[in-house]
């Protein structure tokens, strides 16, 4: 518990430092501009989504590459509800916030439910075949969003214009923008950036909850499925339930991440959620190390900041060349990812006596390249 | 463990910002796509922004209030992508602190960047975004070109009256507000004139679609005598080629997106005879145009296309407004822009209407022997009343 | 009716291109079980090399230009494949499987972003290597004739694409099943340690696999360039690469005739769906894939291996 307390203080201090550097605490410094703040928010979102992916690909040992599809569901649902159904900007601030949290919950649950549905039939498939089905799912989601014009026209021809309106409003392949913006909240001489605070808090909550899941009996069941599914079944683990639940959880987190993404970027385009986006998250996960929450945090955070940092220091043209080179170098140097399967102290196993999380798969004997 | 922590700390430390401010310089943001599927537009536009800034600085800078200020252009490539455009526009406004923005080039990016400029009260002049929705975003958004309701009507009038065609097939990219808008305005005007749009086919660009034959075969089956496409030069050249391949021998007509040497380079003999509407012709004898063409040729060893001319015209409009505003803040520049009246620029005499659109004529060009040739000039009053915007 | 036949012919051509890309992809997978995310970029690289080589050979006449470009681009791309394998995949051969997968994604990003740099942004010797971000025209390396019969149009390229896909498939099957190298490949695929004990040079065999796979990528790049006459940018390999990946899985990943079958199936269904709606055209291959895998989890021609306890 003491380690938990330290972590809490650490997170609070980080939050305070960022706000101070952004000039929100009454002191007129602008070391962090709005542009950097946006990058930091994206880093937080990427951490949330990567942790979600880690639950399924890392801890449960499956191979899902459709994360962008879940994000798209969350992002479009949040934005559509916020702009076209509940006009968020007309509400007073307190209601706005609670409505926004409710929207995120809806978005996450919808993506989670889809994750559950995808998980069910996919259980027959293993390894690379599962991967390609999740990838196909993600691309189907994107194509469905892109055909919103045709969908709306069809609905209208059936006489459902009430439903056609919002669907037409998402702009299909031309993108969707102009949803409400969160202003800063003035408290005394301080201005609290609301959206940043939300992203920060939700990221922290995700880390804590994910840690508790990983060390719960369910988390151990996940690891056993990853180690050897048949052996896990033999000792009484319901591997079907474990995998489908992992899919649902991972979908939920991607949906929430997508909802936040919509409000940070404030312009959605279906091509934002192509399989290239899913690949970004695979890179974040594997560069950090599977089955390590700390790895996901470090790598999603730093790999989001890195390209923007390279842009600011004048590598504008070369940043996208330098980035993959660093990635390749990193994997050659640390083939198990930055953190392997280690954790920061505050995320480590709760107490002695319980098994530490170890890499139960003996990769050297299975699936060698 | 230590190694990995050290690396991550290093990455975060290096990411801390370095800032430096300079006095007596006006920062102007420039946006255009210098890479991607319409790169030739962006390169010309960036060149002309640079040319305009260089000329102003050579003349001693802009006179704002009592003092003279040098202009500094901060250019970003928006890659013809709304996402990239939105990101770099935020960088220009929040990070670099630009006072006004020239660009972006194409409608879909304008629609993503416009709200950001409006929200931050930074005036934006787009040289070449032509969809009517662009300036309706807000009172800080201006344009230097004509709008697509006009361009579509000019195209339809030319096809109907001069070419004498009555059955048009239309093919456009559904994923782009410019191409979709222009195709729709063409159809509306053509049908008002008494022609028939026999096919109205679309596709959604999937990272540079190269195969249009599935749609072209369907269009061919409806037996059109002219094919209108509102797409850009790369896709247009391929459409011309593939239309020939499936035995479709009809005239091809397009919009300002055709204006690139790459149209001829890729299309070769298949684009011979193609007509398109455009902003300007380099053969225009007016002294403003000829002086600009000469200066551009001297600096870049290349002939400026319409996109370059529009970029230069946008800069002229902006610099004039900044000097009249008398101070360097967004609302003052906006008010000065609104009062622009009879300003002679390379893109014509500019007066803005209440929707911040200038009134200006269009030209029609034709490809002959691998070169663009001037055909005619069309002003709004030259059009039949029922299709005038 | 003629519309239907015309669409079918063009669909088969599109499918032939997918099949050609999928061949190289499925072969690498069949031997070392690596999803080579960079294969679409080898295809892209091969197409650019073919465009430059073909342009240079054009003075020698049409067929010389075609075969010259084919040879040069296959060799150069094959060598690049071997280099990439040596640098980015071999050191990770005995590491967790995802490591090589991640470097494959890294290699893919690198190839796209590096070759897309505009040459004026690149220092001296390298500025002659990059392709730049803009359209280039792919030179016509053959005299393309258009044939028409009963309102149906097709060209020399329709025939060539189809014939080449079938021919290379047969050649590949022959190499894998009837040559010494093929025997070594199959042994390596079965068990690397076992192959080593039998005196097979595993490193060399895998390098040869990459050389052939990348060379096939180059051949498909050449045919793509000839067919469409344009290379949009060094990013153009991403989506054909993805489609080829799906074609390979559809037919049964690692099975050579499966790749061709999957490619044809996708090309034809995509063309017909596109003529209805281009979003549907893009979606249809994924939908077919999902349905096929749910019914036959190892693809059309694949057989499911049972897990042993």
């Amino acid at each position: 518990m003491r380690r938990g307390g330290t972590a809490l203080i650490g997170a609070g201090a980080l939050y305070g430092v960022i706000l101070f550097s952004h000039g929100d605490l009454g002191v007129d410094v602008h070391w962090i501009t709005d542009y950097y703040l946006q990058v930091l928010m994206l880093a937080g979102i990427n951490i949330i989504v990567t942790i979600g992916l880690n639950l399924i690909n890392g801890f449960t040992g499956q191979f899902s590459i459709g994360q962008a599809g879940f994000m798209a569901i969350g992002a479009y649902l949040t934005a559509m509800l916020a702009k076209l159904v509940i006009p968020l900007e007309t509400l007073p601030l307190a209601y706005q916030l609670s409505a926004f949290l409710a929207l995120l919950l809806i978005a996450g649950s919808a993506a989670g439910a889809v994750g559950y549905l995808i998980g069910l039939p996919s259980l027959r498939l293993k390894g690379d075949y599962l991967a390609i089905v999740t990838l196909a799912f993600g691309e189907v989601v994107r194509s469905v969003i892109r055909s919103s014009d045709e969908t709306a026209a069809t609905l209208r021809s059936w006489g459902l214009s009430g439903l056609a309106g919002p669907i037409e409003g998402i702009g299909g392949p031309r993108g969707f923008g102009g949803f409400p913006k969160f202003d800063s909240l003035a408290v005394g001489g301080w201005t609290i950036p609301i959206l940043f605070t939300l992203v920060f808090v939700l990221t922290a909550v995700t880390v804590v909850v994910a840690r508790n899941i990983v060390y719960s009996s369910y988390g151990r069941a996940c690891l056993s499925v990853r180690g050897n599914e048949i052996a896990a079944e033999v000792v009484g683990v319901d591997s079907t339930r474990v995998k489908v639940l992992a899919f649902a959880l991972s979908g939920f987190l991607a949906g929430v991440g997508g909802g936040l993404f919509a409000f940070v970027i404030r312009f959605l385009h279906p091509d934002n959620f192509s399989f290239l986006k899913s690949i970004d998250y695979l890179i974040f996960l594997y560069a950090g190390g599977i089955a390590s929450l700390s790895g996901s945090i470090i790598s999603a955070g730093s790999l989001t900041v890195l390209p923007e940092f390279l842009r600011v220091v004048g590598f504008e043209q070369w940043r996208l060349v330098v980035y993959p080179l660093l990635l390749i170098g990193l994997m050659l140097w640390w083939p198990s990812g930055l953190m392997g399967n280690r954790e920061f102290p505050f995320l480590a196993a709760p107490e002695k006596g319980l098994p530490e999380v170890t890499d139960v798969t003996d990769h050297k004997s299975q699936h060698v390249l | 463990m230590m190694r990995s922590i050290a690396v991550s700390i290093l990455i975060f430390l290096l990411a801390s910002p370095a800032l430096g401010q300079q006095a007596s310089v006006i920062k102007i943001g420039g946006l255009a796509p210098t890479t991607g599927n319409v790169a030739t537009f962006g390169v010309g536009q960036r060149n002309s922004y640079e040319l305009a800034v260089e000329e102003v600085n050579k003349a001693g800078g802009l006179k704002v209030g009592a003092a003279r200020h040098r202009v500094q252009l901060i250019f970003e490539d928006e890659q013809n992508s709304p996402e990239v455009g939105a990101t770099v526009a935020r960088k220009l406004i929040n990070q670099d602190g630009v006072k006004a923005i020239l660009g972006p080039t194409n409608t879909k990016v304008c629609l993503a960047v416009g709200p950001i400029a409006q929200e931050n009260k930074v005036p934006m002049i787009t040289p070449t975004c032509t969809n009517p929705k662009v300036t309706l975003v807000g009172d800080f958004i201006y344009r230097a070109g004509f709008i697509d309701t006009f361009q579509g009507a000019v195209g339809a009038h030319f096809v109907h009256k001069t070419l004498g065609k009555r059955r048009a097939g239309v093919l456009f990219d559904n994923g782009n507000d410019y191409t979709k808008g222009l195709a729709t305005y063409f159809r509306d005007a053509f049908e008002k004139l008494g022609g028939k749009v026999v096919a109205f086919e679309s596709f959604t660009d999937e990272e540079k679609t190269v195969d249009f034959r599935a749609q072209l075969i369907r269009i061919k089956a409806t037996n059109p005598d002219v094919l209108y496409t509102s797409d850009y030069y790369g896709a247009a050249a391929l459409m011309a080629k593939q239309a020939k391949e499936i035995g479709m021998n009809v005239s091809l007509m397009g919009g300002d997106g055709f204006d690139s040497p790459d149209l001829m380079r890729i299309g070769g003999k298949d684009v011979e005879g193609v007509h398109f509407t455009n902003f300007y012709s380099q053969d225009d004898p007016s002294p403003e145009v000829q002086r600009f063409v000469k200066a551009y040729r001297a600096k870049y060893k290349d002939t400026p296309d319409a996109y370059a001319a529009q970029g230069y015209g946008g800069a002229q409009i902006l610099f004039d407004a900044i000097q009249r505003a008398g101070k360097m803040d967004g609302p003052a520049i906006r008010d000065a822009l609104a009062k622009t009246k009879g300003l002679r620029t390379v893109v014509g005499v500019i007066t803005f209407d209440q929707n911040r659109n200038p009134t200006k004529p269009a030209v029609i060009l034709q490809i002959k022997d691998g070169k663009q040739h001037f055909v005619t000039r069309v002003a709004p009053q030259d059009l039949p009343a029922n299709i005038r915007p | 009716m003629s519309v239907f036949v015309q669409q079918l012919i063009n669909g088969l051509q599109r499918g032939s291109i997918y099949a050609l890309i999928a061949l190289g992809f499925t072969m690498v997978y069949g031997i070392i079980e690596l999803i080579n995310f960079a294969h679409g970029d080898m295809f892209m690289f091969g197409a650019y090399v073919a465009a430059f080589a073909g342009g240079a050979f054009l003075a020698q006449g049409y067929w010389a230009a075609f075969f010259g470009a084919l040879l040069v681009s296959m060799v150069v791309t094959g060598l690049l494949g071997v280099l990439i394998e040596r640098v980015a995949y071999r050191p990770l051969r005995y590491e967790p499987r995802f490591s090589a997968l991640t470097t494959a994604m890294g290699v893919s990003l690198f190839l796209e972003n590096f070759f897309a740099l505009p040459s004026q942004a690149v220092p001296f010797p390298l500025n002659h290597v990059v392709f730049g971000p803009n359209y280039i025209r792919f030179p016509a390396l053959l005299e393309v004739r258009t044939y028409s019969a009963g309102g149906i149009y097709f060209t020399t390229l329709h025939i060539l694409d189809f014939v080449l896909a079938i021919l290379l498939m047969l050649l590949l099957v022959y190499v894998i099943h009837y040559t010494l190298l093929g025997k070594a490949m199959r042994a390596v695929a079965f068990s690397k340690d076992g192959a080593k004990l039998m005196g097979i040079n595993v490193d060399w065999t895998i390098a040869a696999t990459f050389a052939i796979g990348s060379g096939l990528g180059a051949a498909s790049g050449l045919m793509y360039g000839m067919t469409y006459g344009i290379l949009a940018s060094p990013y153009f390999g991403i989506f054909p690469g993805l489609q080829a990946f799906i074609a390979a899985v559809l037919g049964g990943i690692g099975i050579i005739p499966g790749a061709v079958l999957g490619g044809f199936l996708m090309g034809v269904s995509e063309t017909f769906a596109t003529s209805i709606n281009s979003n549907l055209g893009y979606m249809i291959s994924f939908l077919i894939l999902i349905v096929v895998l749910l019914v036959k989890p190892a693809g059309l021609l694949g057989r499911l291996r049972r897990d042993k306890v």
Side-chain angles (χ1 to χ4, degrees), chain C residues 154-175:
Chain C
F154 61 99
T155 66
T156 326
L157 288 167
H158 284 84
I159 304 165
L160 199 62
D161 284 334
F162 186 79
V163 169
L164 211 61
I166 302 288
L167 212 64
L168 285 177
M169 174 189 86
L170 294 176
L171 191 68
L172 208 52
V173 170
Y174 173 79
V175 166

Side-chain angles (χ1 to χ4, degrees), chain A residues 31 33 146 174 272 309 333, chain B residues 3 14 17 83 95 174 204:
Chain A
W31 297 324
T33 59
R146 282 162 62 123
R174 295 173 302 281
N272 274 338
F309 165 68
W333 200 1
Chain B
R3 217 168 21 163
L14 289 172
E83 300 90 88
Q95 183 72 25
N174 189 33
T204 302

Side-chain angles (χ1 to χ4, degrees), chain A residues 207-221:
Chain A
V207 170
V208 171
V209 171
R211 174 194 170 278
N212 289 346
I213 289 176
V214 167
Y215 297 116
S216 69
S217 62
Y218 170 68
R220 288 196 295 275

Side-chain angles (χ1 to χ4, degrees), chain A residues 63 65 121-122 124-133 135-137 139-140 142-144 146-148 150 173 230 274-276 279-280 282-283 285-287 289-290 317-318 320-325 327-328 331-332 335-337 359 363-364 367-369, chain C residues 29 32-35 37 87-89 91-103 105-107 109-110 113-114 117-118 121-123 126 192 238-239 242 245-246 249 252-253 277 279 282-283 286-287 289-290 293-295 297-299 307-309:
Chain A
F63 190 19
I65 48 180
S122 305
R124 291 187 61 195
L125 303 166
K126 300 229 182 323
D128 299 334
Y129 289 97
L130 176 62
I132 188 85
V133 165
L135 189 155
F137 154 75
E139 289 297 293
V140 168
R142 184 164 73 100
S143 308
V144 167
R146 282 162 62 123
S147 30
S148 73
E150 290 85 351
I230 294 165
S274 73
F275 83 107
L276 298 173
I279 285 192
D280 281 348
L282 288 179
I283 289 175
L285 173 63
Y286 293 141
I290 55 170
Q317 299 264 15
W318 282 82
L320 296 175
V321 180
V322 174
Y323 174 86
L325 286 180
L327 180 72
I328 295 169
M331 291 318 285
L332 292 177
S336 302
D359 191 358
H363 289 291
K364 301 209 182 219
H367 292 313
V368 280
L369 171 66
Chain C
Y29 186 90
I32 58 169
E33 290 202 347
L34 169 74
I35 298 180
F37 276 106
V87 173
Y89 302 154
L92 300 172
R93 198 176 289 158
Y94 296 100
E95 296 294 345
R97 197 168 169 223
F98 69 79
S99 321
L101 204 67
T102 313
T103 49
M105 299 175 207
V107 167
L109 285 174
F110 172 77
N113 294 320
F114 174 72
L117 286 173
V122 182
L126 289 178
K192 276 192 245 331
I238 297 175
F239 279 89
L242 178 68
F245 177 27
I246 290 172
V249 178
I253 190 162
N277 174 308
N279 283 311
Y282 186 68
M283 214 188 312
F286 297 104
L287 291 175
L289 177 89
I290 291 175
L293 286 194
L294 290 181
V295 178
D307 281 349
K308 272 182 245 159
V309 181

Side-chain angles (χ1 to χ4, degrees), chain C residues 32-70:
Chain C
I32 58 169
E33 290 202 347
L34 169 74
I35 298 180
N36 188 4
F37 276 106
H39 189 71
D41 305 296
M42 304 309 288
F43 156 74
M44 172 277 292
F45 181 82
Y48 273 95
V49 174
F52 297 131
F57 284 125
L58 216 49
Q60 265 72 46
Y62 272 138
W63 285 99
F66 176 75
F67 284 109
L70 189 65

Side-chain angles (χ1 to χ4, degrees), chain B residues 71-203:
Chain B
V71 178
Q72 185 194 352
L73 177 74
I74 302 170
F75 182 83
E76 292 286 344
D77 175 14
E78 37 93 334
Q79 297 171 21
N80 202 28
S81 146
E83 300 90 88
V84 176
T87 308
V88 293
R90 284 208 180 85
K91 180 199 168 263
L92 285 176
I93 294 171
N94 296 327
Q95 183 72 25
D96 302 318
V98 300
K99 296 293 174 217
I101 290 179
L102 285 170
T105 304
N106 286 318
T107 293
K108 63 174 180 171
V109 188
C110 278
L111 288 174
V113 170
I116 297 170
Q118 179 69 22
E119 209 166 80
N120 289 286
K121 301 199 177 2
V122 174
M124 168 180 132
I125 300 181
T126 163
T128 42
C129 289
T130 44
N131 191 287
K133 283 191 282 182
V134 168
T135 53
L136 298 181
V137 165
D139 57 350
F140 280 85
I141 318 296
Y142 287 78
R143 83 173 96 223
F146 47 61
I147 55 175
D148 282 333
T149 37
F150 173 60
Q151 179 170 208
V154 170
H157 182 61
F158 182 77
V159 166
H160 188 267
K161 184 156 175 253
T162 313
L163 300 182
K165 308 288 184 190
R166 293 294 179 270
R167 297 173 64 83
V170 179
L171 178 54
F172 64 98
D173 175 3
N174 189 33
N176 186 326
D177 284 294
Y178 160 70
T179 53
K180 188 180 182 199
L182 184 53
T184 314
Y185 301 130
F186 172 85
R187 177 184 62 181
D188 295 349
F190 194 65
E191 294 197 324
K192 269 185 204 157
L193 290 169
K196 193 164 161 31
V197 173
V198 288
F200 195 65
E201 293 281 333
S202 67
F203 67 95

Side-chain angles (χ1 to χ4, degrees), chain A residues 19-78:
Chain A
L19 247 55
F20 177 81
S21 320
H22 186 240
D24 293 326
L25 302 186
V27 186
D28 191 23
V29 288
H30 290 284
W31 297 324
I32 292 183
T33 59
D34 286 354
Y35 171 65
Y36 288 126
L37 205 64
Q38 188 186 339
V39 174
L40 288 177
M41 285 192 271
L42 287 178
I45 291 167
N46 286 343
I47 289 172
I48 293 175
V49 180
T50 308
I51 286 177
L53 185 64
N54 204 340
L55 291 179
I56 182 86
N57 281 25
F59 290 101
T60 317
Q62 303 302 301
F63 190 19
S64 161
I65 48 180
Q67 213 65 359
F70 297 116
M71 262 189 103
I73 293 174
Y76 269 89
L77 201 59
T78 317

